[in-house]
Amino acid sequence: MAQGSKHYSNSTYRKLRLAKRASLYAGVLLVLAYMLFPYYWAIISSTKTREDLYSFSLLPSLDFSNYVTLYHNPIFIGAIVNSAFVALTSSLISLVISILAAYALGRMHFRFSRTVLICVLMISVFPQVVVLSGMFEVIGWLGFYNRPTALVFSYLLLVLPFTTWVLTSFIRDLPQELEEAALIDGCSRLRILTHVLLPLMGPAIASTGLLAFILSWNEFLFALTFILTDENRTVPVAMGLLTGSSRYEYPFGQVMAASVTVTLPLLILVLMFQRKIVSGLTAGAVKG
């Protein structure tokens, strides 16, 4: 028997297991409280009047005047429509292009394919400020300045490398035998992609598309730079430009109401597609 080893009774072992389980649950609750409290604080702050905002309380005041004022603001409602259009369009275009690119990079072996994939990854980690001046010149040359089209075009620079990298990794994990059997049957490369591989990529496409949508929905710098007028602004910029009744008043309650309104669609989408998101992000993590 090893010297210095400790032996406990069964009741002591049970108490230790309960203590470990209790500490685990306490840690999980602490992390959840840390993550969810800012959103809860935004909800209760959005239901408070201007006077109640200066008093600390964890209970909502159930005053929805901030929401009424916000929803009667045509600039904010138009910004939601613009954000939905830009985010949805850029996500769909990036998915179509990235599916084709991912198949080429993941299945078709050609010279410099690895170099191309590394370049795609490098582009995805570039700060937006690095490409801002160049994109400004391109947007002006194309005549897209102060149009939602400018954001769709510029968001592809952010979203497309991410979606291409994720889908390439997923396609590489699909069984090679499926494609070989289809080639023997006389299928073209495009038919293999659309009829053989694409049905298997549903979870990956759903998770990648949703993350691309969230990335486009929350983008601020390009939207602030390339859009000039209020009717073409997106939600993040419109929230930052909300003003009170005077130039010295910051409409904190309306900003919190806008934050809740903007985050709610994203939460609904995540809850609707949570199974596909989990299966898509974990696909290929375990290989037999």
Side-chain angles (χ1 to χ4, degrees), residues 135-149:
M135 286 297 299
F136 188 85
E137 295 294 333
V138 173
I139 293 297
W141 179 73
L142 293 175
F144 291 161
Y145 186 70
N146 196 33
R147 297 181 181 179
T149 313

Side-chain angles (χ1 to χ4, degrees), residues 170-235:
F170 182 83
I171 285 182
R172 283 181 172 177
D173 292 330
L174 294 177
Q176 187 78 28
E177 292 78 10
L178 295 175
E179 186 176 359
E180 293 175 353
L183 287 173
I184 293 175
D185 291 338
C187 290
S188 63
R189 291 284 185 177
L190 183 60
R191 188 174 180 85
I192 291 173
L193 176 62
T194 57
H195 290 75
V196 179
L197 300 182
L198 200 60
L200 302 176
M201 297 172 59
I205 292 175
S207 58
T208 307
L210 182 57
L211 293 176
F213 181 88
I214 294 174
L215 181 64
S216 301
W217 180 272
N218 294 327
E219 201 283 328
F220 180 82
L221 184 59
F222 284 167
L224 180 64
T225 305
F226 300 143
I227 300 298
L228 183 63
T229 56
D230 291 335
E231 59 269 15
N232 292 326
R233 297 194 190 278
T234 55
V235 166

